[in-house]
Amino acid sequence: IEINGSISRTDVLLGNASISGQIINSQTGEGLPEAEVSFANGTDTTRTMADLVVETDDNGNYLIENAPTGVFIVVVRQPGFYPTVVQGVEVDEGTNSLPPTTTVEEVPEGALRIVLTWGESPNDLDSHLTGPQTDGVRFHCYYANQAPNTQVNLDVDDVTSYGPETITISTLLAGTYRYSVHNYS
């Protein structure tokens, strides 16, 4: 069926579940507004149509009521961000509060972004990056030195579970980079 120029599904899925969650911006650690969150029933990653689609509110939150139960593939899309795919999302009858999903902002050519996410525990993981500088001395980017030079920045430092911890390298120099994670908690 075509409605106002767009195709609409006629086999609408209904059920006894509610699904809520939040989409996080990798660059700010805050909720991402107006992101499209699609749920495709099953495990087929080649599907082109979603069964459930919702848009996040101003704080990056979404809610789907009267949803079916089952296993879903969740895809998050937002212009200027890489698509995020989460497989094997189980939805049971009743309330389903999904953990935050981080989506990563695109980087310009020649740049690199490292995004660390994790579960509820441990509550604080710290990203550490060392690498070359033009003066021959190695930099160390981490929570206590978030911008060691003009090419590297710890964009987000999360201390309350899930992440993200985001480091962006705007210009890569020749040499060895080492990324590590410290369980600060």
Side-chain angles (χ1 to χ4, degrees):
I1 296 176
E2 189 169 319
I3 301 172
N4 296 330
S6 64
I7 296 175
S8 174
R9 298 279 312 259
T10 57
D11 56 340
V12 176
L13 299 176
L14 297 175
N16 296 323
S18 69
I19 309 167
S20 64
Q22 185 179 35
I23 306 303
I24 304 294
N25 180 333
S26 68
Q27 289 309 105
T28 65
E30 303 293 324
L32 183 63
E34 299 178 5
E36 180 186 274
V37 184
S38 303
F39 288 75
N41 198 352
T43 57
D44 180 4
T45 59
T46 63
R47 291 187 54 176
T48 57
M49 288 190 72
D51 296 304
L52 306 167
V53 180
V54 66
E55 188 174 284
T56 59
D57 66 14
D58 290 343
N59 297 311
N61 297 309
Y62 62 89
L63 172 65
I64 300 173
E65 295 182 318
N66 301 315
T69 59
V71 178
F72 292 86
I73 296 170
V74 178
V75 180
V76 179
R77 290 185 178 86
Q78 172 72 313
F81 288 77
Y82 297 108
T84 301
V85 178
V86 182
Q87 295 185 40
V89 176
E90 292 186 32
V91 175
D92 298 317
E93 282 192 20
T95 302
N96 295 267
S97 298
L98 302 180
T101 300
T102 298
T103 191
V104 179
E105 188 175 346
E106 294 175 353
V107 295
E109 189 171 328
L112 176 71
R113 179 160 294 132
I114 302 168
V115 180
L116 171 66
T117 61
W118 63 96
E120 185 176 0
S121 180
N123 66 323
D124 189 9
L125 294 179
D126 286 328
S127 293
H128 290 259
L129 179 69
T130 62
Q133 296 187 122
T134 56
D135 62 6
V137 177
R138 292 183 63 77
F139 70 82
H140 182 190
C141 180
Y142 67 113
Y143 68 90
N145 191 16
Q146 296 186 6
N149 59 44
T150 59
Q151 288 87 30
V152 179
N153 191 61
L154 175 63
D155 305 311
V156 179
D157 176 31
D158 181 78
V159 297
T160 59
S161 301
Y162 298 104
E165 290 260 332
T166 305
I167 295 178
T168 301
I169 306 169
S170 58
T171 304
L172 291 165
L173 300 176
T176 301
Y177 290 82
R178 288 189 180 93
Y179 177 76
S180 58
V181 177
H182 177 249
N183 183 348
Y184 190 82
S185 55

